[in-house]
Amino acid sequence: MLSCFHFLDLAYFMSDIKRLIKHLGSDLSAQSSLSAVISPDDMRLIFAAVLDGGASELELGALIALCANIESWRRAEMFSEILLGLSEAINERLMPIECAPYAHSNVVIPNYGDAIFGNAIPLIAIKLQRMGIRVLVHGALETPSGLANCGVFRELGILPVTTRGQAERRLNEDGLVLVPTSLISPGLAAMMALKARLGVFTPAHVLADMLMPVLSEPRHVLHVLNIPAWLLALADTEGVVLQTPVLLSQSVEASGCKFGSLDCRPQMKYRAGVDSLAKTSTLDGHSVDEGGWQTLFQEEMESRTDVVSLSAHNMLKTPHTRWAAHAVPTDTRGLAAWTRQRLDAGMALPQPVVNQLACCLYGAGYAEDFNQAKAMAAVEAGSLAA
């Protein structure tokens, strides 16, 4: 039976969400932030109620549509406040996976990419596993973008787990586990699923790429995160990015290139975490900024040495290549077969994949320095250089 306090909270929420929707639907150019109208804590309460089913379909649809408009207009401060409120509500309800100590850090990779850049995440994950590094991949089971789902993993014989206990056992025993978003954050998965009904991306789609779902001592886990360049300030916001080792992928050109892309390389940065933050201005020959971020690779929209064409596009030219060295299938079975060839037949990997593999080896502590990590990745990938 619902208590009177529950009804009071619900009534407060109903008033609050209407106030927020009214403000979001007003002249957005008049203000740059939401804090003048609604506090960050109130924003958290709004999304908490949304995640718990306390919003009507009409209110939920209006809220998601307005958030999509703010995202499309690139209102960074306003959208960051929305994401911060959603992040706090999600983290309160997160069911994290625990991992045991190991020789190297467990690498946690989000699998929410767009098929336009292909999907090298299965290839990178299995390469890392074969090198003795444990990998957890989290993502939606089915998404409209096809290759962003778990289909390629299924074709390669890696099935998603159904319980947290199974996830922890498979990570510790097999070294590779595929975890559905719904298992660690049902609310986030439900909000992402609204895209099929509403036709627009939700704040949950952006936040999923920043999810940190593994619970462990900082030195035992490396989270890979994708943060759009226009929201880069969130990388130093503790409410979103915890002070633990992080491998950060971002696209300066706001192109959508992210970790796991086949035909482009996002900018890759690494932060060792607050416990081992470098005190000097350089680390391993690479500069470290005030936030402790070490730039490993700059963004490269076209590989200089290995040009890739995705066969779903023009076979001879893609938005990011002048010519094609070889085509990569974009259907699930075709990409799985292509991935299997690279894994088992010793065929060379595309250069962006080699670079991203090197970043993981370095961040996981597999190599003593980044130069060694690049050399290891080049040898493993059958490439001349990383």
Side-chain angles (χ1 to χ4, degrees), residues 104-120:
H104 313 294
S105 296
N106 297 267
V107 179
V108 183
I109 302 175
N111 187 28
Y112 305 93
D114 196 325
I116 189 173
F117 295 111
N119 188 352

Side-chain angles (χ1 to χ4, degrees), residues 18-73:
K18 289 177 181 177
R19 179 160 53 94
L20 176 61
I21 291 175
K22 181 178 180 180
H23 175 68
L24 293 180
S26 64
D27 183 8
L28 293 177
S29 63
Q31 296 190 33
S32 61
S33 71
L34 301 174
S35 56
V37 176
I38 190 164
S39 71
D41 190 57
D42 287 342
M43 184 70 71
R44 176 186 61 80
L45 292 174
I46 286 175
F47 279 113
V50 168
L51 294 172
D52 293 339
S56 68
E57 290 193 352
L58 182 61
E59 289 171 329
L60 183 57
L63 179 61
I64 295 301
L66 289 169
C67 288
N69 281 336
I70 293 173
E71 181 181 5
S72 66
W73 294 334

Side-chain angles (χ1 to χ4, degrees), residues 94 96 138 210-215 223 225 240-242 244-246:
L94 191 68
H138 61 93
M210 308 179 203
L211 203 61
M212 304 180 75
V214 172
L215 182 65
H223 281 96
L225 308 181
V240 178
V241 180
L242 303 178
T244 61
V246 167

Side-chain angles (χ1 to χ4, degrees), residues 110-112 138 181 188 192 203-212:
N111 187 28
Y112 305 93
H138 61 93
T181 311
L188 187 70
M192 292 177 67
H205 287 84
V206 180
L207 190 61
D209 268 323
M210 308 179 203
L211 203 61
M212 304 180 75

Side-chain angles (χ1 to χ4, degrees), residues 227-347:
I227 299 182
W230 65 285
L231 295 173
L232 190 56
L234 290 174
D236 295 314
T237 304
E238 193 169 350
V240 178
V241 180
L242 303 178
Q243 294 294 320
T244 61
V246 167
L247 185 61
L248 174 63
S249 159
Q250 65 159 331
S251 177
V252 176
E253 298 184 14
S255 60
C257 180
K258 59 171 66 176
F259 186 88
S261 296
L262 272 169
D263 69 339
C264 63
R265 183 188 68 205
Q267 185 181 64
M268 301 298 300
K269 293 185 176 182
Y270 170 72
R271 188 183 66 191
V274 68
D275 293 335
S276 54
L277 188 63
K279 301 299 183 182
T280 60
S281 59
T282 61
L283 179 63
D284 207 21
H286 295 260
S287 61
V288 177
D289 63 23
E290 294 181 358
W293 293 101
Q294 174 189 2
T295 300
L296 303 179
F297 284 112
Q298 295 293 347
E299 182 176 18
E300 188 174 271
M301 293 309 297
E302 177 182 333
S303 174
R304 300 186 186 95
T305 58
D306 188 12
V307 183
V308 172
S309 173
L310 303 177
S311 58
H313 302 282
N314 189 315
M315 289 292 291
L316 297 178
K317 186 177 180 180
T318 73
H320 308 296
T321 59
R322 292 187 295 270
W323 63 89
H326 58 270
V328 178
T330 54
D331 65 287
T332 299
R333 290 187 177 180
L335 183 57
W338 181 90
T339 300
R340 191 178 291 109
Q341 286 180 331
R342 267 69 195 167
L343 289 169
D344 300 333
M347 300 180 67

